[in-house]
Amino acid sequence: MLAIMSAAIAWDALYAILREHVAIPAVMAEAWRRGRTARYTQVAETVRRAFVLKPKGAAVLRSNLRKMYAARDMAVHPSGKISAPILHPELDVGLEWRFVYFRAQNAATVVLGAAGMLFDLAKNGRAKNTKVAEYQKALLVRLQEIFPDGVPQLAT
């Protein structure tokens, strides 16, 4: 749960920095607040405004962020309802949903996916303004220190 929440927090941190350097129209920001727009939507739109993204790339980013934030939301705001056990794929036994959703394999998928998206954006993204480009450059240096051989891939 902590790993999944940390992955989302990393993207929230990127969002906070980009938000300072990207123009979000006041009408849009107010609509987000009033409509309680999902966090992943706000993050994806801010990234889209900060970087040149092809439509397919923007859609993939948005989809990946939606899944990551959904996992985060289940950890932060779990349902209090009792539900039937779910089959744990590695243990082959029915367990309470948290043991299935928050197992190591899923946490690794979310964390490496979040890191991979950050790394790709830092390495290959085309910033739309100089402040974002400066941040992007610094982010890439730090990520290359953490992942000198690139972000690890999950064994399939």
Side-chain angles (χ1 to χ4, degrees), residues 41-65:
T41 300
Q42 295 178 43
V43 173
E45 179 60 19
T46 301
V47 171
R48 190 188 69 75
R49 289 172 177 264
F51 293 91
V52 176
L53 299 176
K54 293 179 181 175
K56 184 177 180 182
V60 168
L61 174 69
R62 183 181 167 97
S63 175
N64 289 341
L65 289 174

Short mmCIF file of all heavy atoms in Angstrom, two decimals, residues 41-65:
data_model
loop_
_atom_site.label_atom_id
_atom_site.label_comp_id
_atom_site.label_asym_id
_atom_site.label_seq_id
_atom_site.Cartn_x
_atom_site.Cartn_y
_atom_site.Cartn_z
N THR A 41 -6.92 13.11 -13.90
CA THR A 41 -7.31 13.99 -15.00
C THR A 41 -6.56 15.31 -14.91
O THR A 41 -6.05 15.82 -15.92
CB THR A 41 -8.84 14.24 -14.99
OG1 THR A 41 -9.50 12.98 -15.12
CG2 THR A 41 -9.27 15.16 -16.10
N GLN A 42 -6.49 15.87 -13.73
CA GLN A 42 -5.78 17.13 -13.53
C GLN A 42 -4.29 16.97 -13.82
O GLN A 42 -3.68 17.82 -14.48
CB GLN A 42 -5.97 17.63 -12.10
CG GLN A 42 -7.40 17.99 -11.78
CD GLN A 42 -7.57 18.43 -10.34
OE1 GLN A 42 -6.76 19.18 -9.82
NE2 GLN A 42 -8.63 17.97 -9.70
N VAL A 43 -3.70 15.89 -13.35
CA VAL A 43 -2.28 15.64 -13.57
C VAL A 43 -2.01 15.45 -15.06
O VAL A 43 -1.09 16.06 -15.62
CB VAL A 43 -1.80 14.41 -12.76
CG1 VAL A 43 -0.36 14.04 -13.11
CG2 VAL A 43 -1.93 14.68 -11.25
N ALA A 44 -2.81 14.62 -15.72
CA ALA A 44 -2.62 14.36 -17.15
C ALA A 44 -2.75 15.64 -17.96
O ALA A 44 -1.96 15.88 -18.89
CB ALA A 44 -3.61 13.30 -17.63
N GLU A 45 -3.73 16.46 -17.66
CA GLU A 45 -3.93 17.70 -18.40
C GLU A 45 -2.78 18.68 -18.17
O GLU A 45 -2.33 19.34 -19.10
CB GLU A 45 -5.27 18.35 -18.01
CG GLU A 45 -5.55 19.66 -18.71
CD GLU A 45 -5.62 19.59 -20.23
OE1 GLU A 45 -5.81 18.48 -20.79
OE2 GLU A 45 -5.49 20.64 -20.87
N THR A 46 -2.28 18.74 -16.96
CA THR A 46 -1.16 19.62 -16.67
C THR A 46 0.09 19.16 -17.40
O THR A 46 0.82 19.98 -17.97
CB THR A 46 -0.93 19.70 -15.15
OG1 THR A 46 -2.13 20.18 -14.53
CG2 THR A 46 0.22 20.63 -14.80
N VAL A 47 0.35 17.86 -17.41
CA VAL A 47 1.50 17.32 -18.16
C VAL A 47 1.32 17.60 -19.65
O VAL A 47 2.27 18.00 -20.33
CB VAL A 47 1.68 15.80 -17.89
CG1 VAL A 47 2.71 15.20 -18.82
CG2 VAL A 47 2.06 15.57 -16.43
N ARG A 48 0.11 17.43 -20.15
CA ARG A 48 -0.16 17.69 -21.57
C ARG A 48 0.12 19.16 -21.92
O ARG A 48 0.63 19.46 -22.99
CB ARG A 48 -1.61 17.34 -21.91
CG ARG A 48 -1.91 17.34 -23.40
CD ARG A 48 -3.40 17.20 -23.67
NE ARG A 48 -4.17 18.36 -23.27
CZ ARG A 48 -4.19 19.53 -23.94
NH1 ARG A 48 -3.48 19.68 -25.02
NH2 ARG A 48 -4.93 20.53 -23.50
N ARG A 49 -0.17 20.05 -21.01
CA ARG A 49 0.07 21.47 -21.25
C ARG A 49 1.55 21.84 -21.07
O ARG A 49 1.99 22.86 -21.58
CB ARG A 49 -0.80 22.33 -20.34
CG ARG A 49 -2.25 22.29 -20.73
CD ARG A 49 -3.13 22.99 -19.70
NE ARG A 49 -4.51 22.98 -20.14
CZ ARG A 49 -5.10 23.98 -20.79
NH1 ARG A 49 -4.42 25.07 -21.08
NH2 ARG A 49 -6.36 23.89 -21.15
N ALA A 50 2.30 21.02 -20.35
CA ALA A 50 3.72 21.30 -20.10
C ALA A 50 4.62 20.71 -21.18
O ALA A 50 5.72 21.21 -21.41
CB ALA A 50 4.12 20.76 -18.74
N PHE A 51 4.17 19.63 -21.81
CA PHE A 51 5.00 18.92 -22.79
C PHE A 51 4.23 18.73 -24.09
O PHE A 51 3.00 18.67 -24.11
CB PHE A 51 5.40 17.53 -22.25
CG PHE A 51 6.33 17.59 -21.09
CD1 PHE A 51 5.84 17.62 -19.79
CD2 PHE A 51 7.71 17.61 -21.27
CE1 PHE A 51 6.71 17.68 -18.70
CE2 PHE A 51 8.57 17.68 -20.20
CZ PHE A 51 8.07 17.72 -18.91
N VAL A 52 4.99 18.61 -25.16
CA VAL A 52 4.41 18.28 -26.46
C VAL A 52 4.17 16.77 -26.46
O VAL A 52 5.12 16.00 -26.41
CB VAL A 52 5.36 18.67 -27.61
CG1 VAL A 52 4.79 18.23 -28.95
CG2 VAL A 52 5.65 20.16 -27.59
N LEU A 53 2.91 16.39 -26.47
CA LEU A 53 2.55 14.98 -26.47
C LEU A 53 1.68 14.69 -27.69
O LEU A 53 0.77 15.46 -28.00
CB LEU A 53 1.77 14.60 -25.21
CG LEU A 53 2.46 14.78 -23.87
CD1 LEU A 53 1.49 14.44 -22.74
CD2 LEU A 53 3.70 13.92 -23.77
N LYS A 54 1.95 13.58 -28.33
CA LYS A 54 1.07 13.13 -29.41
C LYS A 54 -0.24 12.68 -28.77
O LYS A 54 -0.25 12.25 -27.61
CB LYS A 54 1.72 12.00 -30.19
CG LYS A 54 2.95 12.44 -30.95
CD LYS A 54 3.59 11.29 -31.69
CE LYS A 54 4.83 11.79 -32.42
NZ LYS A 54 5.56 10.69 -33.06
N PRO A 55 -1.33 12.74 -29.51
CA PRO A 55 -2.62 12.33 -28.93
C PRO A 55 -2.60 10.93 -28.32
O PRO A 55 -3.12 10.71 -27.23
CB PRO A 55 -3.60 12.41 -30.11
CG PRO A 55 -3.00 13.45 -31.00
CD PRO A 55 -1.50 13.28 -30.87
N LYS A 56 -1.95 9.98 -29.00
CA LYS A 56 -1.89 8.61 -28.47
C LYS A 56 -1.07 8.57 -27.18
O LYS A 56 -1.45 7.91 -26.21
CB LYS A 56 -1.29 7.66 -29.50
CG LYS A 56 -1.29 6.22 -29.04
CD LYS A 56 -0.76 5.26 -30.08
CE LYS A 56 -0.79 3.84 -29.55
NZ LYS A 56 -0.25 2.89 -30.50
N GLY A 57 0.04 9.30 -27.13
CA GLY A 57 0.86 9.36 -25.92
C GLY A 57 0.10 9.98 -24.76
O GLY A 57 0.19 9.50 -23.62
N ALA A 58 -0.66 11.04 -25.03
CA ALA A 58 -1.46 11.68 -23.99
C ALA A 58 -2.53 10.72 -23.47
O ALA A 58 -2.79 10.66 -22.26
CB ALA A 58 -2.09 12.97 -24.52
N ALA A 59 -3.14 9.96 -24.38
CA ALA A 59 -4.17 9.01 -23.98
C ALA A 59 -3.59 7.87 -23.13
O ALA A 59 -4.19 7.46 -22.13
CB ALA A 59 -4.87 8.44 -25.21
N VAL A 60 -2.41 7.39 -23.52
CA VAL A 60 -1.76 6.32 -22.74
C VAL A 60 -1.37 6.85 -21.35
O VAL A 60 -1.59 6.17 -20.35
CB VAL A 60 -0.53 5.77 -23.50
CG1 VAL A 60 0.31 4.88 -22.61
CG2 VAL A 60 -0.98 5.01 -24.74
N LEU A 61 -0.80 8.04 -21.30
CA LEU A 61 -0.44 8.64 -20.01
C LEU A 61 -1.67 8.75 -19.12
O LEU A 61 -1.65 8.34 -17.96
CB LEU A 61 0.19 10.03 -20.22
CG LEU A 61 0.46 10.80 -18.94
CD1 LEU A 61 1.59 10.14 -18.14
CD2 LEU A 61 0.79 12.25 -19.24
N ARG A 62 -2.74 9.27 -19.66
CA ARG A 62 -3.97 9.45 -18.89
C ARG A 62 -4.50 8.10 -18.39
O ARG A 62 -4.89 7.97 -17.23
CB ARG A 62 -5.01 10.15 -19.76
CG ARG A 62 -6.31 10.46 -19.06
CD ARG A 62 -7.27 11.14 -20.05
NE ARG A 62 -8.59 11.19 -19.54
CZ ARG A 62 -9.13 12.23 -18.92
NH1 ARG A 62 -8.42 13.32 -18.73
NH2 ARG A 62 -10.37 12.18 -18.49
N SER A 63 -4.49 7.09 -19.24
CA SER A 63 -4.95 5.76 -18.86
C SER A 63 -4.08 5.17 -17.75
O SER A 63 -4.60 4.61 -16.77
CB SER A 63 -4.96 4.85 -20.08
OG SER A 63 -5.30 3.54 -19.71
N ASN A 64 -2.78 5.28 -17.90
CA ASN A 64 -1.86 4.75 -16.88
C ASN A 64 -2.02 5.49 -15.55
O ASN A 64 -2.01 4.86 -14.48
CB ASN A 64 -0.42 4.82 -17.36
CG ASN A 64 -0.12 3.83 -18.46
OD1 ASN A 64 -0.84 2.85 -18.65
ND2 ASN A 64 0.94 4.08 -19.20
N LEU A 65 -2.16 6.81 -15.63
CA LEU A 65 -2.37 7.59 -14.39
C LEU A 65 -3.70 7.20 -13.73
O LEU A 65 -3.78 7.10 -12.51
CB LEU A 65 -2.32 9.08 -14.68
CG LEU A 65 -0.95 9.66 -15.03
CD1 LEU A 65 -1.07 11.13 -15.44
CD2 LEU A 65 0.03 9.50 -13.88
#
